[in-house]
Amino acid sequence: ATLPDEDMVTIAKEILQNTYTKDWSEAGQWAEEEVKLYKIDGSAAAEFYMASGKLVMCTALTDYLRTFIEAIQYKLGKEEGVKEPELLSKKRNVGDDIVYGPINVSSTLPGNSFEVWVSSSDNVERTENDSEESSSETGKVAVILGAGNQSFLSLIDVLDNVLRHRRPVILKHHPLRPWLAPLYAMILEPLSKRGYFSQCEDVSVEVTKALLSHPAVKHVHITGSF
């Protein structure tokens, strides 16, 4: 929680560089394992699905990192030519609320957009909560229980927890997707070499319970519902 914004931008740029220079698309044969999971390996759709899966992975990863870098650089105001983030530039008042957007979700989801609604009380509460959270989480880690439905989701969860919330992360992969570990290790090497990221496979319910109840764990992130 004490890492400055400048350091987080440096780390984000290193991860982004990995997406351009590392052969992550073949790491652990994750795309092949994914089509096996969906039981379409050997079919005419398999090659298309693997290619589209790699495209979604790359787009989600680079979109998040670029957005984060641009937002922090704009916040710091130290680099010339940094434009105001698109979401912030589309601001309007609706009654007592402030609305940002709409902007497109992603190039892979044409026609889909979103907007953010903020009330005046949200800003006050968020500032107070962020301050309290920052001080209470120093020296603590976050555990992410890996998503089972999409291969890119846990990657974004890790980035958001480390870069935006400044939490070191332990990721427990979903039992359906243990083969994501080599892919994540390659892309997130800038985090793991600094001690901000570690990952493990699903072993048993008992081991997961022990992990979640460890006193060093302050935050648990899960994708899904009860």
Side-chain angles (χ1 to χ4, degrees):
T2 58
L3 287 172
D5 288 334
E6 291 88 344
D7 287 359
M8 305 317 292
V9 169
T10 297
I11 294 171
K13 286 182 176 179
E14 289 180 16
I15 299 171
L16 187 60
Q17 184 65 20
N18 276 356
T19 68
Y20 300 139
T21 59
K22 303 281 188 179
D23 191 17
W24 57 265
S25 66
E26 302 300 327
Q29 303 297 305
W30 67 273
E32 287 83 353
E33 293 296 331
E34 191 162 63
V35 297
K36 291 178 184 177
L37 176 64
Y38 292 122
K39 301 187 185 304
I40 58 173
D41 52 313
S43 70
E47 288 296 327
F48 171 80
Y49 193 91
M50 285 191 290
S52 63
K54 292 175 182 178
L55 174 63
V56 170
M57 177 70 73
C58 182
T59 302
L61 177 61
T62 55
D63 279 357
Y64 181 93
L65 289 168
R66 286 171 181 161
T67 300
F68 174 82
I69 292 168
E70 290 171 2
I72 298 300
Q73 287 179 334
Y74 178 76
K75 172 187 172 184
L76 294 172
K78 293 183 178 180
E79 298 207 19
E80 295 184 10
V82 177
K83 296 181 180 179
E84 183 179 24
E86 183 183 4
L87 184 63
L88 295 183
S89 68
K90 296 183 176 180
K91 177 182 177 182
R92 67 187 190 277
N93 293 314
V94 178
D96 294 331
D97 297 327
I98 301 173
V99 182
Y100 298 92
I103 64 172
N104 293 329
V105 173
S106 170
S107 59
T108 60
L109 295 170
N112 290 273
S113 62
F114 74 95
E115 58 187 20
V116 178
W117 288 61
V118 182
S119 70
S120 56
S121 61
D122 287 336
N123 285 327
V124 175
E125 291 172 0
R126 181 59 186 271
T127 300
E128 292 175 349
N129 290 338
D130 282 352
S131 178
E132 292 173 1
E133 180 180 281
S134 178
S135 60
S136 66
E137 291 195 356
T138 301
K140 302 293 185 177
V141 301
V143 171
I144 295 175
L145 302 179
N149 54 331
Q150 293 288 341
S151 291
F152 73 89
L153 286 177
S154 297
L155 188 61
I156 302 302
D157 291 339
V158 171
L159 292 174
D160 199 57
N161 271 274
V162 176
L163 297 180
R164 195 165 67 87
H165 294 289
R166 311 295 205 266
R167 300 170 180 142
V169 165
I170 298 174
L171 167 65
K172 185 196 76 66
H173 285 283
H174 194 281
L176 290 176
R177 298 175 183 271
W179 27 262
L180 288 175
L183 165 67
Y184 281 33
M186 184 177 291
I187 291 176
L188 298 175
E189 182 264 343
L191 297 181
S192 58
K193 75 179 183 182
R194 291 174 169 89
Y196 303 151
F197 169 69
S198 183
Q199 57 183 334
C200 61
E201 294 186 7
D202 181 83
V203 177
S204 67
V205 173
E206 289 72 22
V207 172
T208 300
K209 285 182 178 179
L211 174 63
L212 297 178
S213 59
H214 193 282
V217 174
K218 177 68 177 180
H219 183 86
V220 177
H221 181 96
I222 184 171
T223 298
S225 59
F226 291 102

